[in-house]
Amino acid sequence: MTDPAISLIADIGGTNMRFALVEGGEIRASTSYPWPDKPSLAEPALHFLRSHNAQPKRAAFASANAQPGFEVIRMVNVGEHENLYTYNVSEIRTALGLESLYMLNDFAAIALAVPHMQPEHLIKVGGGTAVAERPIGIIGPGTGLGCSSLVWANGRYMVVSGEGGHVTIGGTDKRECTLIEWLHNKFTHVSAERVLSGPGLMNLHEAVRAVDNLPAIERTPAEILKLGLSGEDAVCREVLEVFCSLLGSVAGNLALVQAAAGGIYIAGGIPPRMSDFLAQSAFRKKFSAKGRYLDFLEAIPTYIVTHPSPGLLGASIALQQTD
């Protein structure tokens, strides 16, 4: 049924896509789908709408790699597929029978959601106190490494989206520099995403074993997390330690670039799964370890976002702002 009061929202990630309906400002009927064998956005979206007998006319999709004004979106690391997947916004809009389809970056959506987070959806790591109406930074390792920010303008926070996950990574000690040098020989350019993501965990695992002259063993991100958090495997444990250290360093860089006195929020699928470990790791120490700006950074709070679907929440808010 066509109902102008009902809208479609989606959070399109590299591993899964989640759809939901919005009615009266409330999110309902959320359903998650893995990417189909033949990557497609229209197919699972149509399945979702048909299963709920809904035909909305408006939609907002939060998608990795989407930027304002982009008509063609190119995604990498889609599901089990390493190649690029390209989709056309107009074709998706037509296939779903929509009058309007608003596309926003997935981390722009998460940024929109941050000011609406309840205390139970945040875990504070370290000290610092947020300053009202000052810039806020959002970064998050998952299938990739997302990055965005919020700036105060015209009486509310406005999103500035970007691709900060692809900045060049640097080590903070000799061991990290050695691992990054090994990865440099493999990838040429070692971005932050090459180590701070699910595939990044695998890259770090491969690098540690290679640098230490250990036999190569393939492990999934889930296996690395499990074995590292339990302490069953020393290499996996070190991978998580290096991961947290580098995440702290990159998050600190983001805080400096933005003068993010409003706080830094760590989102993505990985941090909530290792929140206790991350809180006790070198993350916060490396976040602040910026020489003469140590005191400046120690005053900035950092939070782990544990909300189950911040991308959907942000897409819903985006729809409200386009009214």
Side-chain angles (χ1 to χ4, degrees):
M1 61 178 178
T2 300
D3 188 342
I6 297 177
S7 299
L8 172 67
I9 56 175
D11 182 11
I12 311 299
T15 303
N16 297 291
M17 58 186 80
R18 181 175 292 183
F19 298 95
L21 299 175
V22 177
E23 185 174 14
E26 296 294 322
I27 299 174
R28 63 179 179 86
S30 173
T31 304
S32 182
Y33 297 87
W35 279 90
D37 290 337
K38 183 179 180 180
S40 168
L41 281 184
E43 179 184 324
L46 284 170
H47 182 274
F48 171 80
L49 291 175
R50 288 165 181 162
S51 67
H52 293 283
N53 191 29
Q55 183 52 71
K57 290 301 178 183
R58 300 170 66 241
F61 283 13
S63 173
N65 285 25
Q67 294 294 347
F70 281 26
E71 182 66 17
V72 176
I73 312 298
R74 294 176 173 85
M75 298 185 65
V76 296
N77 299 322
V78 172
E80 300 298 324
H81 310 274
E82 296 183 358
N83 296 326
L84 283 170
Y85 167 56
T86 300
Y87 64 91
N88 183 286
V89 176
S90 295
E91 291 176 359
I92 299 295
R93 182 174 61 246
T94 300
L96 300 183
L98 298 167
E99 293 178 358
S100 66
L101 171 56
Y102 178 65
M103 299 296 305
L104 69 161
N105 184 266
D106 55 346
F107 265 75
I110 292 173
L112 283 173
V114 160
H116 300 269
M117 293 287 175
Q118 299 301 313
E120 61 265 27
H121 293 141
L122 298 170
I123 299 173
K124 190 177 183 183
V125 179
T129 302
V131 180
E133 301 180 8
R134 295 296 300 277
I136 293 171
I138 301 92
I139 187 169
T143 304
L145 180 65
C147 185
S148 59
S149 59
L150 292 167
V151 294
W152 188 262
N154 301 321
R156 65 172 174 142
Y157 273 112
M158 309 289 286
V159 176
V160 179
S161 61
E163 294 294 346
H166 297 281
V167 300
T168 303
I169 192 74
T172 65
D173 57 36
K174 185 175 180 180
R175 176 65 166 178
E176 290 175 5
C177 289
T178 300
L179 296 175
I180 291 171
E181 181 181 8
W182 187 90
L183 289 170
H184 186 273
N185 291 328
K186 178 178 181 178
F187 294 112
T188 305
H189 177 245
V190 184
S191 66
E193 185 174 89
R194 288 294 192 188
V195 293
L196 299 177
S197 61
L201 288 173
M202 299 170 66
N203 289 333
L204 283 174
H205 184 268
E206 182 183 11
V208 170
R209 297 194 69 87
V211 166
D212 290 347
N213 296 312
L214 298 172
I217 297 176
E218 289 190 12
R219 295 199 189 281
T220 66
E223 290 171 338
I224 293 168
L225 279 167
K226 178 179 180 296
L227 294 172
L229 293 174
S230 68
E232 296 176 59
D233 184 281
V235 171
C236 292
R237 187 77 172 187
E238 183 183 2
V239 166
L240 298 189
E241 290 169 352
V242 172
F243 179 93
C244 291
S245 172
L246 292 173
L247 179 60
S249 180
V250 173
N253 289 343
L254 179 64
L256 281 177
V257 169
Q258 299 173 337
I264 294 290
Y265 289 76
I266 312 299
I270 296 175
R273 299 168 64 184
M274 56 184 299
S275 57
D276 290 342
F277 185 93
L278 190 147
Q280 297 170 16
S281 72
F283 166 84
R284 185 68 199 194
K285 177 182 177 182
K286 296 300 178 72
F287 175 83
S288 303
K290 305 295 183 184
R292 292 169 289 177
Y293 271 75
L294 184 145
D295 292 343
F296 176 84
L297 287 163
E298 285 188 339
I300 295 177
T302 51
Y303 306 91
I304 300 172
V305 175
T306 61
H307 191 285
S309 52
L312 285 181
L313 176 59
S316 175
I317 294 167
L319 271 182
Q320 295 174 32
Q321 292 184 354
T322 58
D323 286 341

